[in-house]
Amino acid sequence: MDEGLGVGQGVALSREQSHYLFGVMRRSVGDSVLVFNGRDGEWQASVDKAGKQGVLVCEAQARAQVALPDIWLMFAPVKRARTDFIVEKAVELGVARITPVFTEFTNSERVRPDRMVKIAIEAAEQSGGMNLPRIDEVVKLNRALDDLDVGRKILFLNEREGASDTLAQLRGPSGPVVLLVGPEGGFSAREVDAITTLDACISLSLGPRILRADTAVIAGLTLIQAHWGDWG
Ligand code: SAM
């Protein structure tokens, strides 16, 4: 939802949302649904008008808004189905921003942020979340790194790191962080040099086996959430 949410506030549904709610979920006038817009918390709403352009009315706040931990994901897109999977799992695990980056060995098909937004919305809905991450247009890796805010650590998943005490590196103080994951062909030697010379970089091994990029994203986000995130 883009509109503000509050008591008595009407919410106009898009054709797609209406189709899902009334055609797929078979809801009708008077039924209760939960809505969120990422700013005003989660609201109990009732269906005021069903059909192709449905309308809901907010009744009461169900949950106050809670911010996501300041964890970002920067990844090189891979094949479409795996890129979709990465976005879905990143949202389920809780990231505040997703930046797809072109690297020297990126070999994905066209990257569509609108598709990523759709997947992110579905993932947030099904996981009971009430936040959507910001999803950027795809940018070149060096530009994305240059644009990072000062103080944000870069957790660089680097399969060439060799044996390293992965958990010890995460025992330090938490703070804003971005997880950086490469494409199927990995990062080029030049990219590895450039990334590892950055002051903010923590070069991290996920063990001796080479993981697919989508597996690496899940493993990396799991580690960050467990140490620095909102898993309590
Ligand atoms: N360069 C590799 C090759 O072709 O042999 C494979 C790259 S891997 C499929 C994709 C990305 O996942 C890597 O760029 C890295 O960011 C991450 N990754 C995979 N396995 C990893 C590991 N054991 N430790 C750290 N990062 C890993």
Side-chain angles (χ1 to χ4, degrees), residues 78 105 156-161 180-187 204-217:
V78 282
F105 299 155
F156 170 39
L157 291 191
N158 181 8
E159 72 276 14
R160 302 180 201 183
E161 182 56 40
L180 175 57
V181 185
E184 278 168 19
F187 290 101
L204 208 68
S205 163
L206 292 178
R209 289 161 296 278
I210 303 287
L211 309 176
R212 281 185 178 276
D214 45 345
T215 315
V217 167

Side-chain angles (χ1 to χ4, degrees), residues 136-150:
D136 296 318
E137 295 281 340
V138 62
V139 281
K140 287 196 170 158
L141 174 67
N142 53 0
R143 163 90 191 280
L145 292 172
D146 284 350
D147 286 352
L148 282 177
D149 42 341
V150 177

Side-chain angles (χ1 to χ4, degrees), residues 118-189:
K118 189 167 171 283
I119 290 165
I121 291 172
E122 285 170 9
E125 286 173 354
Q126 76 81 35
S127 60
M130 53 178 149
N131 303 81
L132 278 185
R134 171 173 161 184
I135 296 186
D136 296 318
E137 295 281 340
V138 62
V139 281
K140 287 196 170 158
L141 174 67
N142 53 0
R143 163 90 191 280
L145 292 172
D146 284 350
D147 286 352
L148 282 177
D149 42 341
V150 177
R152 182 169 299 276
K153 288 181 184 135
I154 303 166
L155 218 60
F156 170 39
L157 291 191
N158 181 8
E159 72 276 14
R160 302 180 201 183
E161 182 56 40
S164 68
D165 191 345
T166 304
L167 295 181
Q169 302 206 54
L170 294 170
R171 266 183 222 120
S174 65
V177 62
V178 59
L179 181 75
L180 175 57
V181 185
E184 278 168 19
F187 290 101
S188 70

